[in-house]
Amino acid sequence: MLTTQRSVSGSSQSPRSPSSQPYLSVSVTDPVKLGNGVQAYISYRVITKTNFTEYQGPEKIVIRRYSDFVWLRDRLFEKYKGVFIPPLPEKSAVEKFRFSAEFIEMRRQALDVFVNRIASHHELQQSEDLRTFLQADEETMERLRFHETGIFKKKPADLMQIFKDVQSKVSDVVLGKEKPVEESNPEYEKLKHYIFELENHLAEAQKHAYRLVKRHRELGQSLSDFGKAAKLLGACEGNALGKAFTELGAKSEALSIRLQKEAHQLLMNFEEPLKDYVRAVQSIKATIAERANAFRQQCELAETIKLKEINLEKLMLTRSDRVGEAEHEYKELKAEGEEASRRFETMVRLMNEEIVRFQEQKTIDMGIAFHEFAKGQARLANSIADAWRSLLPKLETCSSA
């Protein structure tokens, strides 16, 4: 759980807690499976504690499901152009893993991170949609999910095609293949190159982190199997040798449990943060694609305005009776072009701010993840060394007997 604070003047502090700093604290807890078969899903308890005056009270508890989090993400993406919207964990495509305890806990943790990133963002935390998500009853949320317009009301097949189109568009933008209208800006090119490279390196690191988790689990299972075999061997032997084999088996089984626990810690504290940042970079790439679209629209409008202006001048020279109509169209189009330019400039400003914030947060999060990894590996190595070292005197006695 994270605690979010924002800087406000004393006059806007909540009367409910006049002496405290403004805060917004959110936690996603208590996952519960509801329904059966293909209709089954996991619900979560979302607890909000705040003294923001916009909220209904100091504490609110609501029940949410994964699709509610998707609704919030999509709403923010549509409304906050230029802001890097935090990513959601993906849905499990494999039925047998969908309701496993480990998968449910990983998703709960990722959803907690998702909503707290929004709550801690100086722009997103002011969103009306966030307040709705954190306070509305279940019936209201269900109604909102099913009564969206545009992209939110499309069928899954349509959404998949849109997603593929966006992926293709993102790749074109990042690789500089967008023609004929594309933004030419050294800093922007540098950003695209950085994001493209970062995604590759993070994905590679996450792949090897997954292999480390798998290796720990496999070694743990092997030690468990070996421990059982050693204890059986000890049971059929007598005297010191049998006792030594039995202790060897017990140590192996104890280390197996230790390895399985460390594998879980490695998954949650190292592999998952890396995977989360792979998703975050993909979210940034979607924002880059939106910026490319905004730039293209601005350029296309500018070209159309030029043509309208030329046409208007011709009509004025010929004193055509269509001058009034053409002048009206020109003014409307010019206003639309100015608005498009403002939108694009706002996106550029926000993205410049966002990339600084992203890099600062990434430095902190990756520092914690790699520190936890190194600490866990050192702890595991010490446990293994201590366990085997404690057996050496007894095994040496047997070997010299």
Side-chain angles (χ1 to χ4, degrees):
M1 183 179 72
L2 304 176
T3 299
T4 302
Q5 293 188 348
R6 62 179 178 184
S7 138
V8 293
S9 64
S11 61
S12 62
Q13 290 189 9
S14 169
R16 292 189 293 267
S17 51
S19 61
S20 65
Q21 289 292 319
Y23 67 91
L24 176 60
S25 169
V26 185
S27 57
V28 179
T29 65
D30 302 331
V32 176
K33 181 182 176 184
L34 299 173
N36 295 299
V38 294
Q39 299 298 322
Y41 65 93
I42 303 296
S43 72
Y44 305 87
R45 175 186 285 192
V46 178
I47 305 171
T48 303
K49 296 181 180 181
T50 184
N51 60 0
F52 286 4
T53 56
E54 306 95 309
Y55 283 74
Q56 296 168 0
E59 181 172 322
K60 183 74 175 180
I61 300 175
V62 295
I63 303 300
R64 294 291 177 258
R65 57 188 295 182
Y66 180 79
S67 54
D68 295 323
F69 290 85
V70 173
W71 173 86
L72 177 61
R73 189 273 316 276
D74 290 346
R75 295 285 293 179
L76 295 176
F77 185 76
E78 284 298 304
K79 292 184 178 181
Y80 290 86
K81 301 298 184 183
V83 174
F84 298 160
I85 306 302
L88 278 171
E90 61 275 1
K91 298 191 77 169
S92 175
V94 184
E95 182 65 26
K96 68 177 181 178
F97 295 135
R98 196 157 67 101
F99 297 113
S100 69
E102 185 172 80
F103 176 79
I104 290 171
E105 174 54 23
M106 282 193 301
R107 171 172 281 186
R108 184 209 63 77
Q109 181 175 292
L111 292 174
D112 189 274
V113 170
F114 164 77
V115 73
N116 274 287
R117 280 178 174 164
I118 294 169
S120 65
H121 192 283
H122 67 285
E123 294 250 2
L124 301 180
Q125 68 175 204
Q126 300 172 40
S127 164
E128 183 181 342
D129 293 313
L130 175 62
R131 291 196 295 275
T132 299
F133 174 83
L134 295 176
Q135 298 182 114
D137 57 47
E138 293 174 69
E139 289 183 3
T140 300
M141 281 305 306
E142 184 175 6
R143 194 162 57 247
L144 287 169
R145 287 200 316 269
F146 287 100
H147 288 80
E148 288 293 353
T149 56
I151 186 173
F152 307 117
K153 208 172 181 181
K154 290 182 180 292
K155 296 177 182 177
D158 297 330
L159 291 174
M160 183 57 69
Q161 185 58 50
I162 289 172
F163 178 70
K164 288 178 180 178
D165 292 343
V166 168
Q167 277 192 317
S168 175
K169 184 73 68 180
V170 165
S171 298
D172 287 346
V173 169
V174 172
L175 295 173
K177 294 180 181 176
E178 281 280 321
K179 300 295 181 184
V181 181
E182 62 179 23
E183 188 179 351
S184 179
N185 180 312
E187 286 301 313
Y188 182 50
E189 293 299 320
K190 185 179 177 181
L191 169 63
K192 289 192 292 184
H193 179 74
Y194 165 72
I195 292 300
F196 184 73
E197 289 294 307
L198 182 62
E199 181 183 30
N200 287 339
H201 296 322
L202 281 171
E204 188 70 11
Q206 187 265 321
K207 179 178 72 176
H208 290 294
Y210 166 79
R211 290 176 179 172
L212 279 170
V213 172
K214 185 179 178 184
R215 177 178 173 275
H216 279 55
R217 286 178 169 163
E218 288 173 346
L219 181 56
Q221 185 59 51
S222 295
L223 277 171
S224 177
D225 295 340
F226 173 72
K228 290 182 177 69
K231 286 168 77 174
L232 289 172
L233 186 59
C236 73
E237 292 287 348
N239 304 324
L241 183 60
K243 187 176 180 181
F245 282 160
T246 300
E247 288 193 29
L248 178 63
K251 289 289 184 185
S252 296
E253 289 183 329
L255 283 175
S256 168
I257 295 171
R258 186 75 190 80
L259 272 161
Q260 295 296 350
K261 287 181 178 178
E262 194 58 48
H264 181 73
Q265 291 298 314
L266 190 61
L267 171 67
M268 301 303 292
N269 299 328
F270 188 58
E271 185 196 346
E272 274 300 304
L274 286 171
K275 188 186 292 185
D276 178 62
Y277 265 89
V278 172
R279 293 191 292 257
V281 169
Q282 291 168 349
S283 179
I284 293 172
K285 288 171 67 177
T287 305
I288 288 174
E290 288 290 302
R291 174 169 168 169
N293 286 334
F295 181 77
R296 188 181 305 107
Q297 289 169 8
Q298 175 188 251
C299 293
E300 288 172 355
L301 277 169
E303 287 298 316
T304 306
I305 289 167
K306 285 180 183 177
L307 293 174
K308 287 285 185 182
E309 186 177 11
I310 292 169
N311 183 56
L312 178 60
E313 288 173 353
K314 288 180 179 177
L315 291 173
M316 290 176 72
L317 286 172
T318 58
R319 298 182 179 180
S320 170
D321 56 3
R322 293 185 56 246
V323 168
E325 181 185 345
E327 193 170 18
H328 178 70
E329 288 178 0
Y330 171 73
K331 286 180 179 179
E332 281 191 339
L333 199 59
K334 191 173 181 182
E336 188 179 341
E338 289 170 354
E339 179 59 29
S341 295
R342 280 193 294 271
R343 283 198 304 268
F344 176 72
E345 289 167 4
T346 299
M347 284 189 71
V348 171
R349 176 182 59 79
L350 287 172
M351 285 184 69
N352 289 339
E353 295 172 1
E354 288 289 282
I355 196 63
V356 172
R357 185 185 59 82
F358 169 78
Q359 289 174 318
E360 289 174 351
Q361 191 61 50
K362 175 172 60 66
T363 299
I364 295 170
D365 292 342
M366 290 295 100
I368 292 172
F370 278 90
H371 179 263
E372 288 296 314
F373 167 72
K375 188 168 68 173
Q377 293 303 294
R379 187 171 56 235
L380 179 63
N382 288 334
S383 297
I384 293 173
D386 290 344
W388 295 137
R389 194 179 292 114
S390 68
L391 282 175
L392 288 178
K394 294 177 182 178
L395 294 173
E396 285 171 357
T397 300
C398 291
S399 64
S400 62

